[in-house]
Protein backbone atom coordinates (compact mmCIF):
# COMPACT_ATOMS: atom_id res chain seq x y z
CA UNK A 1 0.00 0.00 0.00
CA UNK A 2 1.41 3.40 -0.91
CA UNK A 3 0.47 6.79 0.57
CA UNK A 4 -2.06 7.57 -2.14
CA UNK A 5 -3.87 4.28 -1.64
CA UNK A 6 -3.80 4.76 2.10
CA UNK A 7 -5.43 8.17 1.88
CA UNK A 8 -8.01 6.80 -0.52
CA UNK A 9 -8.98 4.15 2.04
CA UNK A 10 -9.25 6.38 5.11
CA UNK A 11 -13.04 6.55 4.90
CA UNK A 12 -13.26 2.76 5.11
CA UNK A 13 -10.70 2.76 7.90
CA UNK A 14 -12.79 5.03 10.10
CA UNK A 15 -16.21 3.57 9.37
CA UNK A 16 -14.93 0.08 10.10
CA UNK A 17 -15.68 -1.38 6.68
CA UNK A 18 -12.07 -2.02 5.80
CA UNK A 19 -11.06 -5.56 4.97
CA UNK A 20 -8.71 -7.08 7.59
CA UNK A 21 -5.80 -7.61 5.22
CA UNK A 22 -5.98 -3.96 4.11
CA UNK A 23 -6.18 -2.83 7.69
CA UNK A 24 -2.98 -4.78 8.41
CA UNK A 25 -1.27 -3.24 5.39
CA UNK A 26 -2.37 0.19 6.51
CA UNK A 27 -0.97 -0.48 9.97
CA UNK A 28 2.35 -1.50 8.45
CA UNK A 29 2.52 1.58 6.28
CA UNK A 30 1.69 3.93 9.14
CA UNK A 31 4.54 2.50 11.23
CA UNK A 32 7.03 3.52 8.59
CA UNK A 33 5.52 6.71 7.20
CA UNK A 34 5.37 9.87 9.31
CA UNK A 35 3.58 11.82 6.62
CA UNK A 36 0.69 9.38 6.53
CA UNK A 37 0.62 9.26 10.33
CA UNK A 38 0.09 13.02 10.40
CA UNK A 39 -2.42 12.80 7.61
CA UNK A 40 -4.43 10.12 9.36
CA UNK A 41 -4.42 11.99 12.66
CA UNK A 42 -5.52 15.27 11.12
CA UNK A 43 -8.18 13.53 9.00
CA UNK A 44 -9.56 11.95 12.17
CA UNK A 45 -9.36 15.23 14.08
CA UNK A 46 -11.27 16.98 11.29
CA UNK A 47 -14.13 14.49 11.63
CA UNK A 48 -14.25 14.96 15.38
CA UNK A 49 -14.01 18.75 15.29
CA UNK A 50 -16.78 19.02 12.75
CA UNK A 51 -19.15 17.06 14.90
CA UNK A 52 -18.80 19.80 17.50
CA UNK A 53 -20.39 22.39 15.21
CA UNK A 54 -23.72 20.61 15.53
CA UNK A 55 -26.12 23.21 16.73
CA UNK A 56 -27.11 23.05 20.34
CA UNK A 57 -30.63 22.68 21.60
CA UNK A 58 -33.43 24.51 19.90
CA UNK A 59 -34.20 27.73 21.85
CA UNK A 60 -37.22 27.34 24.17
CA UNK A 61 -39.06 30.22 22.58
CA UNK A 62 -38.65 28.75 19.10
CA UNK A 63 -39.74 25.36 20.32
CA UNK A 64 -42.93 26.71 21.88
CA UNK A 65 -43.81 28.69 18.76
CA UNK A 66 -43.17 25.70 16.57
CA UNK A 67 -45.15 23.40 18.80
CA UNK A 68 -48.17 25.72 18.84
CA UNK A 69 -47.95 26.10 15.08
CA UNK A 70 -47.85 22.36 14.49
CA UNK A 71 -50.76 21.71 16.86
CA UNK A 72 -52.80 24.40 15.10
CA UNK A 73 -52.05 22.99 11.64
CA UNK A 74 -52.94 19.50 12.82
CA UNK A 75 -56.33 20.77 14.05
CA UNK A 76 -56.96 22.51 10.74
CA UNK A 77 -56.02 19.37 8.92
CA UNK A 78 -58.44 17.29 10.99
CA UNK A 79 -61.20 19.80 10.29
CA UNK A 80 -60.40 19.63 6.56
CA UNK A 81 -60.67 15.89 6.61
CA UNK A 82 -63.99 16.00 8.42
CA UNK A 83 -65.35 18.51 5.94
CA UNK A 84 -64.13 16.40 3.10
CA UNK A 85 -65.72 13.28 4.54
CA UNK A 86 -69.04 15.02 5.14
CA UNK A 87 -68.95 16.38 1.64
CA UNK A 88 -68.27 12.95 0.22
CA UNK A 89 -71.14 11.47 2.20
CA UNK A 90 -73.53 14.06 0.77
CA UNK A 91 -72.25 13.55 -2.75
CA UNK A 92 -72.66 9.81 -2.48
CA UNK A 93 -76.19 10.12 -1.14
CA UNK A 94 -77.05 12.45 -4.01
CA UNK A 95 -75.54 10.07 -6.51
CA UNK A 96 -77.55 7.16 -5.11
CA UNK A 97 -80.81 9.13 -5.26
CA UNK A 98 -80.19 10.15 -8.83
CA UNK A 99 -79.35 6.58 -9.77
CA UNK A 100 -82.51 5.20 -8.13
CA UNK A 101 -84.67 7.89 -9.78
CA UNK A 102 -83.27 7.44 -13.27
CA UNK A 103 -83.40 3.66 -12.97
CA UNK A 104 -87.09 3.90 -12.03
CA UNK A 105 -87.89 6.23 -14.92
CA UNK A 106 -85.84 4.15 -17.38
CA UNK A 107 -83.59 7.11 -18.21
CA UNK A 108 -80.23 5.56 -17.34
CA UNK A 109 -77.80 4.85 -20.18
CA UNK A 110 -77.81 1.14 -21.19
CA UNK A 111 -74.46 0.31 -19.60
CA UNK A 112 -75.48 1.70 -16.21
CA UNK A 113 -78.94 0.10 -16.44
CA UNK A 114 -77.22 -3.20 -17.04
CA UNK A 115 -74.88 -2.83 -14.07
CA UNK A 116 -77.69 -1.70 -11.73
CA UNK A 117 -80.11 -4.43 -12.82
CA UNK A 118 -77.41 -7.03 -12.36
CA UNK A 119 -76.69 -5.76 -8.85
CA UNK A 120 -80.42 -5.72 -7.97
CA UNK A 121 -80.70 -9.38 -8.91
CA UNK A 122 -77.86 -10.29 -6.55
CA UNK A 123 -78.33 -7.93 -3.61
CA UNK A 124 -81.48 -8.23 -1.52
CA UNK A 125 -80.60 -5.02 0.31
CA UNK A 126 -80.53 -2.89 -2.81
CA UNK A 127 -83.23 -4.67 -4.79
CA UNK A 128 -86.15 -2.69 -3.25
CA UNK A 129 -84.47 0.56 -4.36
CA UNK A 130 -83.83 -0.56 -7.89
CA UNK A 131 -87.30 -1.08 -9.34
CA UNK A 132 -88.61 0.33 -12.61
CA UNK A 133 -91.50 2.70 -12.02
CA UNK A 134 -90.85 3.24 -8.28
CA UNK A 135 -90.50 6.64 -6.59
CA UNK A 136 -87.12 7.45 -5.04
CA UNK A 137 -87.36 7.59 -1.21
CA UNK A 138 -86.24 10.75 0.61
CA UNK A 139 -83.24 9.04 2.11
CA UNK A 140 -81.46 5.89 1.17
CA UNK A 141 -79.79 3.85 3.96
CA UNK A 142 -76.02 4.25 4.09
CA UNK A 143 -75.28 0.59 3.22
CA UNK A 144 -77.36 0.89 0.09
CA UNK A 145 -75.69 4.21 -0.75
CA UNK A 146 -72.31 2.51 -0.44
CA UNK A 147 -73.32 -0.28 -2.81
CA UNK A 148 -74.89 2.04 -5.34
CA UNK A 149 -72.01 4.53 -5.28
CA UNK A 150 -69.62 1.67 -5.96
CA UNK A 151 -71.62 0.57 -9.00
CA UNK A 152 -70.22 3.46 -11.01
CA UNK A 153 -66.79 1.79 -10.61
CA UNK A 154 -68.07 -1.26 -12.48
CA UNK A 155 -68.77 0.68 -15.66
CA UNK A 156 -66.38 0.19 -18.55
CA UNK A 157 -63.78 2.98 -18.74
CA UNK A 158 -65.06 6.13 -20.38
CA UNK A 159 -68.73 5.39 -19.64
CA UNK A 160 -70.50 8.02 -17.59
CA UNK A 161 -73.10 6.63 -15.15
CA UNK A 162 -75.72 9.15 -16.20
CA UNK A 163 -74.68 9.50 -19.82
CA UNK A 164 -73.64 13.18 -19.43
CA UNK B 1 -53.41 6.18 24.68
CA UNK B 2 -50.28 6.01 26.83
CA UNK B 3 -47.42 8.17 25.62
CA UNK B 4 -45.13 5.18 25.93
CA UNK B 5 -47.00 3.30 23.25
CA UNK B 6 -46.53 6.25 20.94
CA UNK B 7 -42.76 5.65 21.05
CA UNK B 8 -43.42 2.73 18.73
CA UNK B 9 -43.29 3.92 15.11
CA UNK B 10 -46.18 1.77 13.95
CA UNK B 11 -48.45 2.84 16.78
CA UNK B 12 -47.50 6.46 16.24
CA UNK B 13 -48.25 6.22 12.52
CA UNK B 14 -51.56 4.53 13.13
CA UNK B 15 -52.60 7.20 15.62
CA UNK B 16 -51.47 9.99 13.32
CA UNK B 17 -53.59 8.54 10.54
CA UNK B 18 -56.52 8.37 12.92
CA UNK B 19 -55.98 12.06 13.66
CA UNK B 20 -55.26 11.78 17.38
CA UNK B 21 -54.06 14.94 19.04
CA UNK B 22 -51.63 13.15 21.38
CA UNK B 23 -49.96 11.52 18.42
CA UNK B 24 -49.16 14.90 16.89
CA UNK B 25 -47.64 15.94 20.19
CA UNK B 26 -45.65 12.72 20.42
CA UNK B 27 -44.43 13.18 16.86
CA UNK B 28 -43.35 16.72 17.66
CA UNK B 29 -41.63 15.80 20.92
CA UNK B 30 -39.70 13.01 19.29
CA UNK B 31 -38.53 14.75 16.16
CA UNK B 32 -38.50 18.53 16.53
CA UNK B 33 -34.96 18.72 17.93
CA UNK B 34 -33.45 16.61 15.17
CA UNK B 35 -35.44 18.26 12.41
CA UNK B 36 -34.53 21.74 13.58
CA UNK B 37 -30.88 20.99 14.08
CA UNK B 38 -30.56 19.26 10.72
CA UNK B 39 -32.26 22.18 8.97
CA UNK B 40 -30.04 24.63 10.79
CA UNK B 41 -26.91 22.70 9.89
CA UNK B 42 -27.87 22.78 6.23
CA UNK B 43 -29.34 26.26 6.03
CA UNK B 44 -27.27 28.16 8.61
CA UNK B 45 -30.14 30.45 9.40
CA UNK B 46 -32.49 30.29 12.39
CA UNK B 47 -35.63 31.60 10.77
CA UNK B 48 -35.17 29.43 7.68
CA UNK B 49 -34.64 26.41 9.91
CA UNK B 50 -37.80 27.23 11.80
CA UNK B 51 -39.81 27.52 8.60
CA UNK B 52 -38.43 24.26 7.32
CA UNK B 53 -39.34 22.57 10.59
CA UNK B 54 -42.90 23.88 10.16
CA UNK B 55 -43.04 22.56 6.61
CA UNK B 56 -41.72 19.19 7.68
CA UNK B 57 -44.39 18.64 10.33
CA UNK B 58 -47.20 19.84 8.06
CA UNK B 59 -46.00 17.49 5.34
CA UNK B 60 -45.76 14.55 7.72
CA UNK B 61 -49.27 15.17 9.07
CA UNK B 62 -50.74 15.53 5.58
CA UNK B 63 -48.91 12.66 3.98
CA UNK B 64 -48.96 10.15 6.78
CA UNK B 65 -51.93 8.47 5.13
CA UNK B 66 -49.91 7.66 2.04
CA UNK B 67 -46.63 6.82 3.79
CA UNK B 68 -46.18 3.14 3.06
CA UNK B 69 -43.67 2.44 5.78
CA UNK B 70 -41.14 1.03 3.32
CA UNK B 71 -38.47 3.02 5.11
CA UNK B 72 -38.04 3.82 8.78
CA UNK B 73 -40.13 6.70 10.08
CA UNK B 74 -37.12 8.82 11.05
CA UNK B 75 -35.56 8.41 7.62
CA UNK B 76 -38.79 9.46 5.92
CA UNK B 77 -38.91 12.55 8.12
CA UNK B 78 -35.22 13.36 7.54
CA UNK B 79 -35.80 12.99 3.81
CA UNK B 80 -38.68 15.44 3.91
CA UNK B 81 -36.47 17.80 5.89
CA UNK B 82 -33.50 17.55 3.52
CA UNK B 83 -35.73 18.05 0.48
CA UNK B 84 -37.36 21.05 2.04
CA UNK B 85 -33.94 22.55 2.83
CA UNK B 86 -32.67 21.91 -0.68
CA UNK B 87 -35.72 23.54 -2.21
CA UNK B 88 -35.16 26.56 -0.03
CA UNK B 89 -31.49 26.74 -0.98
CA UNK B 90 -32.35 26.58 -4.65
CA UNK B 91 -34.71 29.48 -4.21
CA UNK B 92 -31.84 31.62 -2.96
CA UNK B 93 -28.57 32.57 -4.47
CA UNK B 94 -25.98 31.09 -2.23
CA UNK B 95 -22.51 32.48 -1.75
CA UNK B 96 -20.19 31.03 -4.30
CA UNK B 97 -18.99 27.63 -3.25
CA UNK B 98 -15.38 26.73 -3.84
CA UNK B 99 -14.08 24.02 -6.07
CA UNK B 100 -12.83 21.33 -3.75
CA UNK B 101 -10.34 20.02 -6.30
CA UNK B 102 -7.62 22.47 -5.36
CA UNK B 103 -7.78 21.23 -1.78
CA UNK B 104 -7.36 17.54 -2.53
CA UNK B 105 -4.07 15.93 -1.45
CA UNK B 106 -1.36 15.79 -4.07
CA UNK B 107 0.82 12.74 -4.66
CA UNK B 108 3.96 12.01 -6.62
CA UNK B 109 3.91 9.61 -9.52
CA UNK B 110 5.04 6.88 -7.13
CA UNK B 111 2.01 7.54 -4.95
CA UNK B 112 3.85 9.31 -2.16
CA UNK B 113 2.77 12.56 -0.56
CA UNK B 114 4.03 15.42 -2.67
CA UNK B 115 4.62 17.57 0.39
CA UNK B 116 5.04 17.16 4.11
CA UNK B 117 1.95 17.05 6.29
CA UNK B 118 1.84 19.01 9.47
CA UNK B 119 0.28 17.22 12.43
CA UNK B 120 -1.84 19.88 14.10
CA UNK B 121 -4.15 17.40 15.80
CA UNK B 122 -2.53 17.80 19.22
CA UNK B 123 -2.58 21.54 18.99
CA UNK B 124 -6.31 21.59 18.59
CA UNK B 125 -6.83 19.56 21.71
CA UNK B 126 -5.69 22.53 23.71
CA UNK B 127 -8.13 24.89 22.02
CA UNK B 128 -11.01 22.53 21.63
CA UNK B 129 -13.49 25.07 22.92
CA UNK B 130 -12.05 27.91 20.94
CA UNK B 131 -14.92 29.94 19.59
CA UNK B 132 -12.96 31.24 16.64
CA UNK B 133 -12.18 27.72 15.55
CA UNK B 134 -15.86 26.82 15.67
CA UNK B 135 -16.68 29.76 13.44
CA UNK B 136 -13.90 28.85 11.05
CA UNK B 137 -15.16 25.28 10.73
CA UNK B 138 -18.66 26.60 10.21
CA UNK B 139 -17.45 28.83 7.41
CA UNK B 140 -15.47 26.08 5.70
CA UNK B 141 -18.38 23.68 5.92
CA UNK B 142 -20.59 26.36 4.48
CA UNK B 143 -18.29 26.76 1.49
CA UNK B 144 -18.84 23.15 0.43
CA UNK B 145 -21.28 22.72 -2.42
CA UNK B 146 -24.65 21.18 -1.58
CA UNK B 147 -23.66 17.85 -3.04
CA UNK B 148 -20.96 17.40 -0.40
CA UNK B 149 -22.40 19.47 2.40
CA UNK B 150 -25.64 17.57 2.84
CA UNK B 151 -23.85 14.22 3.01
CA UNK B 152 -21.28 15.66 5.37
CA UNK B 153 -23.89 17.19 7.66
CA UNK B 154 -25.92 14.00 7.89
CA UNK B 155 -22.91 11.77 8.47
CA UNK B 156 -20.31 13.73 10.37
CA UNK B 157 -22.36 16.44 12.03
CA UNK B 158 -25.57 14.54 12.78
CA UNK B 159 -23.71 11.28 13.25
CA UNK B 160 -25.82 9.02 11.03
CA UNK B 161 -24.36 5.86 9.52
CA UNK B 162 -23.51 5.67 5.81
CA UNK B 163 -26.48 3.37 5.32
CA UNK B 164 -28.87 5.80 6.99
CA UNK B 165 -27.53 8.73 5.00
CA UNK B 166 -27.82 6.74 1.80
CA UNK B 167 -31.45 5.87 2.52
CA UNK B 168 -32.38 9.46 3.33
CA UNK B 169 -30.73 10.91 0.25
CA UNK B 170 -31.57 8.09 -2.12
CA UNK B 171 -27.89 7.68 -2.93
CA UNK B 172 -25.88 4.46 -3.02
CA UNK B 173 -23.66 3.74 -0.03
CA UNK B 174 -20.48 4.01 -2.15
CA UNK B 175 -21.64 7.43 -3.40
CA UNK B 176 -22.23 8.57 0.18
CA UNK B 177 -18.82 7.32 1.25
CA UNK B 178 -17.02 8.94 -1.60
CA UNK B 179 -18.68 12.33 -1.06
CA UNK B 180 -18.08 12.16 2.65
CA UNK B 181 -14.43 11.30 2.16
CA UNK B 182 -13.90 14.16 -0.27
CA UNK B 183 -15.67 16.60 2.02
CA UNK B 184 -13.39 15.55 4.88
CA UNK B 185 -10.27 15.79 2.71
CA UNK B 186 -11.32 19.30 1.75
CA UNK B 187 -12.03 20.36 5.32
CA UNK B 188 -8.83 18.74 6.55
CA UNK B 189 -6.80 20.69 4.06
CA UNK B 190 -8.51 23.97 4.86
CA UNK B 191 -8.01 23.42 8.57
CA UNK B 192 -4.38 22.54 7.92
CA UNK B 193 -3.83 25.80 6.10
CA UNK B 194 -5.58 27.67 8.87
CA UNK B 195 -3.55 25.97 11.59
CA UNK B 196 -0.21 26.36 9.91
CA UNK B 197 -0.61 29.76 8.29
CA UNK B 198 -3.09 31.10 10.79
CA UNK B 199 -5.11 32.85 8.16
CA UNK B 200 -8.59 32.46 6.88
CA UNK B 201 -8.88 32.38 3.15
ZN1 LIG C 1 2.60 7.19 3.55
Amino acid sequence: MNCKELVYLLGDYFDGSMEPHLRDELGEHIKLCDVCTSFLKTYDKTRILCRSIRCEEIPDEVREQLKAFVAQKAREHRADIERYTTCTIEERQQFARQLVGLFASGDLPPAMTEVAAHHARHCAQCAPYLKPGSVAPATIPPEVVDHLADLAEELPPGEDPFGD
Amino acid sequence: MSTERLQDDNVLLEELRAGSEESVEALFDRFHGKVYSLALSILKNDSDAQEVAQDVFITVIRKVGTFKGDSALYSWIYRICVNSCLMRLRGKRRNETVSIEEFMPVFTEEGMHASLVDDWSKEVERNLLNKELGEIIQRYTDSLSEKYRVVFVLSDVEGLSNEETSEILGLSVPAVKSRLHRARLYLRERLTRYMTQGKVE
Side-chain angles (χ1 to χ4, degrees):
Chain A
M1 183 182 294
N2 64 30
C3 303
K4 190 177 178 181
E5 288 160 346
L6 182 142
V7 166
Y8 181 76
L9 290 168
L10 282 179
D12 291 355
Y13 178 73
F14 283 106
D15 72 24
S17 68
M18 198 173 210
E19 287 176 44
H21 75 276
L22 287 174
R23 183 169 286 269
D24 294 343
E25 280 185 45
L26 187 141
E28 289 303 312
H29 183 112
I30 284 292
K31 265 187 226 162
L32 304 167
C33 179
D34 288 344
V35 188
C36 279
T37 305
S38 298
F39 199 98
L40 183 141
K41 282 186 179 166
T42 48
Y43 181 94
D44 188 29
K45 187 55 84 181
T46 302
R47 279 183 339 128
I48 293 165
L49 281 178
C50 290
R51 172 152 308 184
S52 66
I53 63 163
R54 185 175 191 273
C55 85
E56 327 72 59
E57 282 285 283
I58 176 168
D60 286 346
E61 191 190 309
V62 176
R63 184 197 299 109
E64 291 317 311
Q65 271 176 23
L66 195 56
K67 188 165 188 163
F69 176 89
V70 170
Q72 174 59 26
K73 286 290 164 185
R75 271 194 294 278
E76 283 170 26
H77 181 65
R78 266 194 296 278
D80 281 351
I81 287 181
E82 269 161 36
R83 243 194 320 278
Y84 175 76
T85 319
T86 322
C87 165
T88 328
I89 288 170
E90 268 162 29
E91 273 172 15
R92 285 162 78 88
Q93 171 74 231
Q94 207 174 4
F95 176 88
R97 286 175 50 75
Q98 197 174 355
L99 181 72
V100 167
L102 292 174
F103 187 82
S105 62
D107 293 324
L108 277 181
M112 194 69 225
T113 307
E114 178 68 30
V115 169
H118 177 83
H119 181 70
R121 284 197 294 277
H122 294 90
C123 175
Q125 226 173 5
C126 294
Y129 295 89
L130 292 171
K131 277 188 189 152
S134 66
V135 179
T139 51
I140 300 174
E143 315 87 75
V144 175
V145 169
D146 283 345
H147 285 193
L148 297 183
D150 289 346
L151 288 182
E153 308 296 318
E154 292 178 30
L155 285 176
E159 288 278 349
D160 187 274
F162 303 133
D164 296 334
Chain B
M1 175 61 47
S2 78
T3 40
E4 243 166 69
R5 278 193 17 134
L6 290 170
Q7 294 303 307
D8 181 296
D9 284 359
N10 290 325
V11 176
L12 179 60
L13 285 166
E14 211 173 285
E15 289 294 311
L16 282 171
R17 289 187 187 114
S20 108
E21 209 157 322
E22 293 97 321
S23 68
V24 173
E25 202 174 327
L27 175 81
F28 184 84
D29 289 346
R30 264 178 67 187
F31 292 104
H32 75 273
K34 286 182 189 302
V35 165
Y36 181 81
S37 116
L38 176 58
L40 191 56
S41 295
I42 299 178
L43 297 169
K44 312 285 178 203
N45 174 305
D46 297 300
S47 68
D48 283 353
Q50 195 177 347
E51 281 176 28
V52 161
Q54 293 179 350
D55 290 350
V56 170
F57 285 105
I58 297 175
T59 307
V60 170
I61 290 166
R62 293 207 178 128
K63 293 204 173 159
V64 69
T66 51
F67 173 60
K68 295 208 176 58
D70 40 14
S71 58
L73 177 60
Y74 81 85
S75 80
W76 181 53
I77 294 176
Y78 272 41
R79 189 157 58 232
I80 294 172
C81 183
V82 169
N83 287 340
S84 173
C85 290
L86 291 181
M87 254 155 55
R88 206 161 276 261
L89 284 177
R90 272 165 212 147
K92 293 186 177 183
R93 274 190 67 84
R94 272 179 40 78
N95 336 336
E96 277 311 298
T97 51
V98 290
S99 151
I100 71 171
E101 293 312 321
E102 58 179 296
F103 295 93
M104 292 296 113
V106 182
F107 300 95
T108 64
E109 265 176 46
E110 296 77 37
M112 299 185 31
H113 291 276
S115 55
L116 287 177
V117 172
D118 203 62
D119 180 10
W120 45 264
S121 62
K122 284 279 183 303
E123 213 167 309
V124 167
E125 228 126 274
R126 290 195 292 271
N127 321 292
L128 197 58
L129 298 170
N130 185 327
K131 187 160 171 272
E132 184 189 323
L133 184 58
E135 281 165 11
I136 294 296
I137 294 173
Q138 191 80 256
R139 191 173 326 167
Y140 291 155
T141 315
D142 205 17
S143 66
L144 279 167
S145 68
E146 260 170 43
K147 175 178 164 187
Y148 295 106
R149 192 149 49 94
V150 175
V151 170
F152 175 77
V153 163
L154 286 168
S155 299
D156 274 357
V157 182
E158 295 294 317
L160 299 179
S161 72
N162 293 329
E163 287 71 20
E164 290 169 327
T165 302
S166 107
E167 194 178 330
I168 290 163
L169 298 179
L171 284 171
S172 69
V173 172
V176 166
K177 289 177 71 159
S178 132
R179 290 185 191 186
L180 179 60
H181 182 54
R182 289 169 63 79
R184 287 170 178 171
L185 289 175
Y186 165 77
L187 292 165
R188 193 208 70 87
E189 179 60 27
R190 299 236 43 181
L191 283 172
T192 300
R193 293 184 194 181
Y194 169 73
M195 298 292 180
T196 53
Q197 297 160 17
K199 64 171 189 236
V200 189
E201 289 154 77

